[in-house]
Amino acid sequence: MQSTGGWQNWQSHVIEDIELTQGTHELLVQFFFGGFNINYFEFVQTVVGVDEEEDKPLNYELNQNYPNPFNPETNIEYSITQNSFVKLKVYDVLGNEITTLVDEEKFPGKHKVKFNADELSTGIYLYKISSGDYTETRKMLYLK
């Protein structure tokens, strides 16, 4: 981290997605260079319980959008079984990519994305999900 230019100018540094097993843990903080001040450390605990484990889907799934036909918005739901990188894209019937709805790492569970086709013309569109070895494509109908 670089100096922020004074003792009243703060810059946050966040480290996310650190998974710890149950029990006691020790944090060792070492400083190898000077030129900074520390305001505080904040720890946010997210508890994963047995109930959440039961809510994890057993299969990857891409659901039919709803409503379908739609005007101009529709919902697309999908499920993934493990942490994985997910891509969800919309194409026209000629295979031209219209937009990318999801392009990021996702956690296991059910997810929902809203798609707005307000600037598109009436027609059939395809949406395709890719996550690990799983890919699936579905059709949707946009009526103005």
Side-chain angles (χ1 to χ4, degrees):
M1 289 186 277
Q2 297 178 351
S3 174
T4 58
W7 69 276
Q8 291 288 30
N9 300 323
W10 298 100
Q11 179 180 5
S12 295
H13 183 74
V14 178
I15 301 172
E16 295 180 345
D17 299 324
I18 297 176
E19 294 182 21
L20 301 174
T21 58
Q22 184 177 356
T24 303
H25 298 273
E26 192 174 310
L27 175 67
L28 173 65
V29 179
Q30 294 181 322
F31 303 99
F32 298 101
F33 301 101
F36 61 90
N37 296 318
I38 295 177
N39 186 12
Y40 65 92
F41 288 98
E42 180 180 9
F43 300 93
V44 178
Q45 179 181 7
T46 303
V47 178
V48 177
V50 174
D51 294 337
E52 290 182 29
E53 290 291 326
E54 292 174 1
D55 290 340
K56 285 185 182 178
L58 299 175
N59 298 310
Y60 285 88
E61 186 174 19
L62 179 62
N63 297 334
Q64 185 63 52
N65 65 301
Y66 65 92
N68 189 34
F70 66 98
N71 178 12
E73 289 186 341
T74 188
N75 297 295
I76 299 172
E77 292 184 350
Y78 63 93
S79 300
I80 58 173
T81 60
Q82 59 188 359
N83 283 1
S84 59
F85 196 85
V86 175
K87 285 189 181 192
L88 180 59
K89 295 185 177 200
V90 177
Y91 299 89
D92 64 17
V93 290
L94 299 175
N96 299 312
E97 184 179 322
I98 302 299
T99 190
T100 300
L101 299 174
V102 179
D103 189 19
E104 63 187 5
E105 184 85 15
K106 289 290 190 179
F107 57 88
K110 297 177 182 179
H111 301 270
K112 181 167 87 171
V113 178
K114 190 174 290 282
F115 173 59
N116 187 318
D118 199 27
E119 297 186 17
L120 298 175
S121 56
T122 294
I124 296 173
Y125 292 88
L126 307 169
Y127 56 103
K128 177 182 179 182
I129 190 169
S130 300
S131 178
D133 293 336
Y134 173 74
T135 59
E136 188 170 349
T137 305
R138 289 189 176 265
K139 292 182 203 177
M140 59 184 164
L141 178 60
Y142 176 46
L143 296 176
K144 277 194 171 186

